Amino acid sequence: MLENNLIVVTGNQFQLNTKNTSYVMHNENGMLTHTYYGKRLPNVNHEYMAKRCRYNGDFQSNISANLPTLDNALLEYPVFGDGGITAPALEVLNSDGTNFAEIKVTGYNIIEGKPKIEGLPASYAEEGDNVKTLEVVTKDEVSGLEVRLYYAVFYDFDVITRFVKITNGGKNAVTLLRALSANLAFDNKGYDVISNYGTWAKERQIERTPLAHGATSVYSNCGSSSHGANPFLILAENTATEDFGEAVGMALAYSGNHRMTADLGRYGVVNMSAGIAADNFRWNLNSGESFSTPEVVMSFSANGLNALSQNFHKIVKNRVCRGAYRDARRPVLLNLWEACSFTFTEETVKSAADICAELGVELLVIDDGWFGQRNTDHCSLGDWYVNEEKIRGGLKPLCDYVNSKGLKLGIWFEPEMICPDSDLFRTKPEWAMKINGRKPTETRWQLMLDLTNPEVCDYIYSSIANILNGANIEYVKWDYNRTMAHIGSAFLKADQMGEYYHRYMLGLYGVLERLVTDFPNVLFEGCASGGGRFDIGMLYYTPQIWTSDDTDAVERAAIQYGTSFVYPMSSQSAHVSVCPNQQTGRSVSMQARHILALTGSFGYELAPEELTDKDKEYIKDFIKFYIENYDVFANGKYFRLSNPHTDEYAAFQYELNGNVIVGAMRLKTHAINLQTTIKLKGLEPDRVYTDVKTGDTYYGAQLMEYGLRINAASYTGDYQTVMWQLK
Ligand code: GLA
């Protein structure tokens, strides 16, 4: 009954199928309406679902019959000006000053695989993948505006990705005031919105609230996807849990201003949408020109939130991340930032390399401070040449030394920035982002470069390429430590300033694309004062991102929990640092710090020479364990076993082919700790699992229904952390 048909078009019905989900739309006299997104349906006629109460399916007569506007319709891509009160996905400014557009379906195409979105990061299909794309062509007959809606169906991933391409097919110029990537309309079944908020060192804190009337948005207007509002949104049935119930999620493949919205209208219609924030967005489209939106990655789960997240993890890890390190094991790294800040010499790095080699660390990273006159954060961003007072002899001999110890060498850049106190600023002040006649705002003594200017992008490319060509640097940490403010450009014309934010992103993505293409074996890691630009857009270029500047294991429990709603664990860099922790002053055990850093990109952020012999032994053993089980952390299914915001424990589980690793940290300690069990997930009920350390055996059913017991008596004190490995 459920044939493997990814895209089935019959009459006026479009049906998209993934392994476990179906997405249905109807063409109602030219208007594309949404019918269904949920569990897989047979390929039959679903038109009865499309015939909605008080909506007769005809746009004009619906309006003229004075029916309650289009708010009651489920529109696939609502356009401003049709009389509805809810937020539209598209708003245009025509040359006659009017804002209306009426897009009607004129045709469709089915494309094998998936087309690229020019200049933008997006998921991709590989040879042999079961992926097809539906392109629905719509047109405004009066203005000539053409809007093509793309739906790429990733059958085996249970994911549909969407973007929109808008072409001005008329004679007169139009301006786009809003062009979202996707809208998803459905009837409210009693949903909760799962969103996130955050700050520096407290990224992606999950909030779950009942969906209320009006718009609930997660958005950023600071030029980057931000610490404050990561570009994803989930709607879940209010009874849904990690393991049960329906949930639909959207995540935007974009690193700039965005808005993710769930808008509950007066007739109970929910419009869930994602795209570039419309605040201060204007895009001029002359006759014949096109604009493509960023992509939104969308998934539906009928089996709770863990399954929804696992769908996101699978697609992001395998069909968003690229390059050698998509699949290759990421090296265990040690970053020197927390250990030495700006004060180091080549001797510091060499002695760190000596100890790292002994410990089994594989990559040593020199962070900020190796270039220009960078002895504090007050200067030199933009001057990407080695400070030979610090690194005497330059990077090449240092790199050779590090390599001779069997380690790779990595280095830090903050390429998008310029310090007023820099040689670059002294020679090219017009390259800084600032408004003429106004004093620019500095953050951390830095301004941003104007990446809308191709010359600036070329400079960034060649500065980094020079360093990478000059020594065997095998890792780059790409940092970004301020937000955009008071944007101005010596390069763009006044009427292009509404395009600034998006043009900036196109400039950034262009440089990154050149670098990852020309240096395919370099591991690029994203960073933005920690996790301030952690999004699918960046993961297309940098398969791992520094999750947060907060390296406190307890804080990380919540940050990594929130990040795991969309992003695979292999993308989350997590490091063991010293105690008391530099951000919180808290001390937890070595074991707790290691277990909480167990992701597919594990490392250290400390001074190796300060380690005791006991620490060193612990680290050596742990690295061995990590490497042996790397596949489980990088490629296993990740399950959230608890909610660290509300539960007594922060607990998680990885599972790959019967290999199970569980970590749990006690968050609250009482005088009498009750006996507690932690239930595992996703195991085979009839299979016997053996605890590798104790030899104890359990049936999968026992572990899932009763759980592993945390022995309360021997388990007191704050933040005690345990790990089990079962096979
Ligand atoms: C940011 C990063 C840190 C470190 C510093 C260096 O804060 O998040 O990891 O690289 O910059 O200045």
Side-chain angles (χ1 to χ4, degrees):
M1 188 70 163
L2 300 180
E3 320 93 90
N4 175 0
N5 286 333
L6 279 68
I7 299 174
V8 185
V9 184
T10 22
N12 67 341
Q13 176 173 300
F14 299 97
Q15 179 165 346
L16 316 178
N17 298 311
T18 69
K19 205 171 185 174
N20 297 299
T21 72
S22 291
Y23 188 101
V24 183
M25 296 173 279
H26 280 90
N27 173 359
E28 304 273 350
N29 301 322
M31 186 166 8
L32 192 63
T33 57
H34 182 77
T35 307
Y36 176 86
Y37 186 30
K39 232 174 157 162
R40 179 75 189 267
L41 295 177
N43 299 323
V44 296
N45 189 323
H46 305 296
E47 195 149 18
Y48 85 95
M49 300 180 193
K51 291 290 170 212
R52 294 167 51 72
C53 156
R54 289 189 292 177
Y55 172 62
N56 69 2
D58 177 88
F59 176 74
Q60 288 303 339
S61 63
N62 196 53
I63 298 269
S64 52
N66 223 358
L67 286 163
T69 79
L70 293 179
D71 288 1
N72 189 38
L74 304 183
L75 300 178
E76 194 58 21
Y77 199 64
V79 180
F80 181 83
D82 66 6
I85 66 166
T86 46
L90 176 69
E91 185 179 1
V92 297
L93 177 60
N94 299 305
S95 59
D96 62 2
T98 61
N99 285 109
F100 185 55
E102 183 184 359
I103 54 167
K104 291 206 163 194
V105 179
T106 58
Y108 70 90
N109 297 298
I110 295 173
I111 301 163
E112 283 300 321
K114 180 172 188 286
K116 281 196 163 182
I117 315 180
E118 207 185 316
L120 286 172
S123 58
Y124 56 88
E126 285 204 332
E127 185 100 15
D129 279 357
N130 212 355
V131 175
K132 281 187 187 170
T133 304
L134 172 70
E135 174 189 49
V136 182
V137 186
T138 73
K139 205 167 171 185
D140 182 318
E141 289 303 338
V142 176
S143 68
L145 194 76
E146 189 191 76
V147 178
R148 289 173 185 254
L149 309 175
Y150 292 86
Y151 301 82
V153 184
F154 284 80
Y155 186 87
D156 296 307
F157 291 79
D158 280 327
V159 160
I160 295 174
T161 69
R162 295 171 58 178
F163 77 99
V164 177
K165 184 172 181 183
I166 302 159
T167 304
N168 181 356
K171 289 199 193 87
N172 300 315
V174 298
T175 306
L176 302 178
L177 300 178
R178 179 196 307 258
L180 300 187
S181 302
N183 186 77
L184 177 59
F186 45 94
D187 290 309
N188 186 22
K189 289 196 213 161
Y191 287 103
D192 282 350
V193 184
I194 298 175
S195 64
N196 73 97
Y197 74 96
T199 62
W200 169 78
K202 198 180 181 196
E203 294 88 340
R204 293 169 290 285
Q205 303 294 302
I206 294 295
E207 277 187 328
R208 180 169 177 163
T209 52
L211 176 65
H213 285 88
T216 307
S217 286
V218 170
Y219 61 91
S220 164
N221 279 327
C222 70
S224 60
S225 52
S226 84
H227 295 88
N230 196 271
F232 73 83
L233 198 68
I234 293 168
L235 277 184
E237 286 179 317
N238 52 25
T239 49
T241 65
E242 288 285 14
D243 310 300
F244 304 101
E246 295 187 357
V248 55
M250 281 185 175
L252 194 66
Y254 195 60
S255 319
N257 292 343
H258 63 86
R259 188 175 285 266
M260 318 291 296
T261 300
D263 189 330
L264 175 58
R266 53 194 165 149
Y267 300 118
V269 169
V270 189
N271 278 288
M272 186 180 184
S273 63
I276 295 178
D279 315 70
N280 192 40
F281 170 80
R282 273 168 289 139
W283 196 271
N284 304 315
L285 273 188
N286 290 321
S287 177
E289 286 179 351
S290 297
F291 176 85
S292 292
T293 70
E295 172 171 275
V296 63
V297 178
M298 204 169 72
S299 189
F300 169 87
S301 159
N303 302 312
L305 297 165
N306 263 319
L308 183 75
S309 296
Q310 285 160 3
N311 292 345
F312 279 115
H313 295 176
K314 190 170 162 193
I315 187 114
V316 174
K317 183 178 181 300
N318 299 294
R319 293 297 181 267
V320 169
C321 294
R322 299 176 298 167
Y325 283 102
R326 182 189 76 177
D327 302 323
R329 183 170 69 72
R330 315 269 173 83
V332 173
L333 73 77
L334 186 141
N335 180 306
L336 290 169
W337 172 246
E338 286 198 11
C340 18
S341 172
F342 298 99
T343 43
F344 57 89
T345 65
E346 83 285 355
E347 286 305 330
T348 325
V349 180
K350 280 184 183 169
S351 57
D354 294 343
I355 306 171
C356 282
E358 204 188 301
L359 297 175
V361 169
E362 299 165 302
L363 162 67
L364 182 60
V365 179
I366 305 175
D367 207 277
D368 199 348
W370 58 268
F371 53 90
Q373 299 304 313
R374 187 86 167 166
N375 297 316
T376 69
D377 54 6
H378 291 215
C379 68
S380 296
L381 292 174
D383 298 343
W384 301 112
Y385 46 82
V386 180
N387 179 336
E388 297 221 11
E389 280 159 33
K390 275 185 180 171
I391 302 187
R392 281 160 293 197
L395 277 175
K396 170 94 175 67
L398 178 58
C399 189
D400 290 346
Y401 181 86
V402 172
N403 287 169
S404 76
K405 294 283 157 184
L407 289 160
K408 299 179 196 300
L409 185 69
I411 209 165
W412 179 96
F413 285 91
E414 198 178 350
E416 299 156 73
M417 303 293 163
I418 179 168
C419 284
D421 181 5
S422 66
D423 293 344
L424 183 64
F425 190 81
R426 285 182 277 275
T427 49
K428 295 277 183 196
E430 72 281 11
W431 281 6
M433 189 189 294
K434 56 183 166 18
I435 303 178
N436 261 345
R438 290 186 192 270
K439 191 175 165 358
T441 30
E442 289 175 26
T443 303
R444 210 191 187 201
W445 295 276
Q446 66 200 56
L447 301 175
M448 292 189 60
L449 283 167
D450 178 3
L451 269 66
T452 68
N453 180 347
E455 257 192 281
V456 173
C457 294
D458 287 346
Y459 174 80
I460 294 176
Y461 171 83
S462 47
S463 312
I464 297 174
N466 276 344
I467 296 291
L468 298 184
N469 286 327
N472 184 30
I473 305 288
E474 295 177 84
Y475 162 103
V476 166
K477 178 171 168 189
W478 183 294
D479 210 341
Y480 171 94
N481 283 320
R482 63 161 291 172
T483 53
M484 292 186 206
H486 307 174
I487 56 160
S489 169
F491 177 73
L492 292 187
K493 298 193 196 80
D495 72 347
Q496 290 175 306
M497 284 309 292
E499 302 177 0
Y500 190 92
Y501 286 106
H502 185 60
R503 280 186 182 272
Y504 181 95
M505 294 320 302
L506 294 175
L508 170 65
Y509 292 145
V511 179
L512 283 164
E513 184 63 33
R514 284 167 72 186
L515 284 165
V516 299
T517 307
D518 293 352
F519 298 94
N521 296 320
V522 171
L523 171 58
F524 286 85
E525 172 161 339
C527 179
S529 300
R533 202 164 58 182
F534 202 125
D535 53 68
I536 293 180
M538 285 309 289
L539 287 171
Y540 186 64
Y541 308 97
T542 66
Q544 62 189 50
I545 297 179
W546 183 223
T547 315
S548 177
D549 272 348
D550 194 337
T551 54
D552 176 318
V554 180
E555 300 267 280
R556 275 296 186 112
I559 295 168
Q560 290 166 197
Y561 164 85
T563 309
S564 80
F565 274 77
V566 170
Y567 306 103
M569 299 318 284
S570 58
S571 70
Q572 299 191 32
S573 291
H575 298 171
V576 174
S577 62
V578 293
C579 277
N581 181 270
Q582 289 190 4
Q583 292 79 33
T584 61
R586 181 166 21 220
S587 291
V588 301
S589 68
M590 200 61 158
Q591 174 157 328
R593 283 176 273 155
H594 277 77
I595 292 173
L596 265 293
L598 270 180
T599 70
S601 44
F602 167 84
Y604 294 86
E605 190 96 10
L606 45 74
E609 69 276 9
E610 284 169 17
L611 294 167
T612 62
D613 288 344
K614 198 169 150 223
D615 292 340
K616 284 185 184 167
E617 284 316 306
Y618 188 90
I619 290 176
K620 271 190 218 168
D621 288 348
F622 200 89
I623 291 179
K624 235 183 260 153
F625 158 79
Y626 173 72
I627 291 176
E628 266 166 30
N629 294 286
Y630 176 81
D631 221 20
V632 182
F633 303 119
N635 302 316
K637 270 192 184 165
Y638 180 81
F639 294 86
R640 292 177 295 268
L641 299 184
S642 76
N643 176 348
H645 296 286
T646 51
D647 293 339
E648 297 238 334
Y649 289 90
F652 59 85
Q653 175 196 322
Y654 290 93
E655 193 277 336
L656 182 73
N657 305 327
N659 285 303
V660 182
I661 293 173
V662 179
M665 172 189 268
R666 174 188 282 284
L667 298 171
K668 290 176 193 150
T669 298
H670 309 285
I672 306 287
N673 292 305
L674 301 180
Q675 293 275 326
T676 310
T677 54
I678 291 181
K679 288 184 182 182
L680 308 197
K681 300 188 179 183
L683 308 183
E684 285 179 40
D686 298 333
R687 195 160 170 175
V688 174
Y689 294 82
T690 308
D691 183 321
V692 169
K693 215 191 267 161
T694 62
D696 294 346
T697 56
Y698 311 90
Y699 278 92
Q702 292 175 307
L703 294 170
M704 289 192 292
E705 304 312 330
Y706 181 82
L708 281 168
R709 186 195 301 280
I710 293 186
N711 188 335
S714 64
Y715 196 62
T716 55
D718 280 340
Y719 314 120
Q720 295 286 326
T721 306
V722 278
M723 181 173 64
W724 293 268
Q725 188 179 15
L726 303 151
K727 284 195 175 171

mmCIF file of all heavy atoms in Angstrom, residues 237 379 408 423 499 617 653 689:
data_model
loop_
_atom_site.group_PDB
_atom_site.id
_atom_site.type_symbol
_atom_site.label_atom_id
_atom_site.label_comp_id
_atom_site.label_asym_id
_atom_site.label_seq_id
_atom_site.Cartn_x
_atom_site.Cartn_y
_atom_site.Cartn_z
ATOM 1 N N GLU A 237 2.360 18.393 20.086
ATOM 2 C CA GLU A 237 1.078 18.199 20.776
ATOM 3 C C GLU A 237 1.336 18.407 22.258
ATOM 4 O O GLU A 237 2.396 17.991 22.759
ATOM 5 C CB GLU A 237 0.593 16.762 20.592
ATOM 6 C CG GLU A 237 0.074 16.469 19.218
ATOM 7 C CD GLU A 237 -0.374 15.014 19.118
ATOM 8 O OE1 GLU A 237 0.351 14.130 19.620
ATOM 9 O OE2 GLU A 237 -1.439 14.776 18.550
ATOM 10 N N CYS A 379 43.427 45.367 20.097
ATOM 11 C CA CYS A 379 44.020 45.735 18.799
ATOM 12 C C CYS A 379 44.176 44.554 17.857
ATOM 13 O O CYS A 379 43.953 43.399 18.238
ATOM 14 C CB CYS A 379 45.397 46.348 19.038
ATOM 15 S SG CYS A 379 46.581 45.151 19.665
ATOM 16 N N LYS A 408 48.678 17.456 15.325
ATOM 17 C CA LYS A 408 48.322 18.475 14.334
ATOM 18 C C LYS A 408 48.342 19.832 15.030
ATOM 19 O O LYS A 408 48.139 19.911 16.240
ATOM 20 C CB LYS A 408 46.917 18.228 13.794
ATOM 21 C CG LYS A 408 46.719 16.895 13.084
ATOM 22 C CD LYS A 408 45.259 16.790 12.636
ATOM 23 C CE LYS A 408 44.843 15.377 12.264
ATOM 24 N NZ LYS A 408 45.571 14.756 11.178
ATOM 25 N N ASP A 423 46.789 47.765 11.595
ATOM 26 C CA ASP A 423 47.370 48.258 10.332
ATOM 27 C C ASP A 423 46.299 48.261 9.251
ATOM 28 O O ASP A 423 46.264 49.140 8.392
ATOM 29 C CB ASP A 423 48.533 47.365 9.903
ATOM 30 C CG ASP A 423 49.699 47.488 10.878
ATOM 31 O OD1 ASP A 423 49.706 48.467 11.670
ATOM 32 O OD2 ASP A 423 50.576 46.604 10.863
ATOM 33 N N GLU A 499 19.417 45.700 1.883
ATOM 34 C CA GLU A 499 19.937 44.377 1.486
ATOM 35 C C GLU A 499 21.163 44.015 2.301
ATOM 36 O O GLU A 499 21.732 42.950 2.137
ATOM 37 C CB GLU A 499 20.313 44.414 -0.012
ATOM 38 C CG GLU A 499 19.134 44.786 -0.903
ATOM 39 C CD GLU A 499 19.520 44.897 -2.379
ATOM 40 O OE1 GLU A 499 20.691 44.700 -2.725
ATOM 41 O OE2 GLU A 499 18.605 45.173 -3.174
ATOM 42 N N GLU A 617 47.002 10.491 34.141
ATOM 43 C CA GLU A 617 46.609 9.079 33.971
ATOM 44 C C GLU A 617 45.137 8.988 33.589
ATOM 45 O O GLU A 617 44.751 8.226 32.704
ATOM 46 C CB GLU A 617 46.873 8.273 35.260
ATOM 47 C CG GLU A 617 48.324 7.930 35.488
ATOM 48 C CD GLU A 617 49.030 7.429 34.226
ATOM 49 O OE1 GLU A 617 48.535 6.467 33.607
ATOM 50 O OE2 GLU A 617 50.073 8.025 33.833
ATOM 51 N N GLN A 653 21.986 9.386 26.588
ATOM 52 C CA GLN A 653 22.373 8.053 26.131
ATOM 53 C C GLN A 653 22.761 8.097 24.657
ATOM 54 O O GLN A 653 22.113 8.775 23.855
ATOM 55 C CB GLN A 653 21.180 7.103 26.304
ATOM 56 C CG GLN A 653 21.393 5.707 25.755
ATOM 57 C CD GLN A 653 20.071 4.947 25.605
ATOM 58 O OE1 GLN A 653 19.175 5.070 26.445
ATOM 59 N NE2 GLN A 653 19.944 4.197 24.530
ATOM 60 N N TYR A 689 21.937 -7.068 27.372
ATOM 61 C CA TYR A 689 23.002 -6.058 27.383
ATOM 62 C C TYR A 689 23.883 -6.292 28.602
ATOM 63 O O TYR A 689 23.372 -6.483 29.703
ATOM 64 C CB TYR A 689 22.401 -4.648 27.447
ATOM 65 C CG TYR A 689 21.623 -4.282 26.198
ATOM 66 C CD1 TYR A 689 20.293 -4.697 26.016
ATOM 67 C CD2 TYR A 689 22.211 -3.534 25.184
ATOM 68 C CE1 TYR A 689 19.581 -4.380 24.867
ATOM 69 C CE2 TYR A 689 21.512 -3.199 24.022
ATOM 70 C CZ TYR A 689 20.200 -3.629 23.880
ATOM 71 O OH TYR A 689 19.499 -3.312 22.747
#
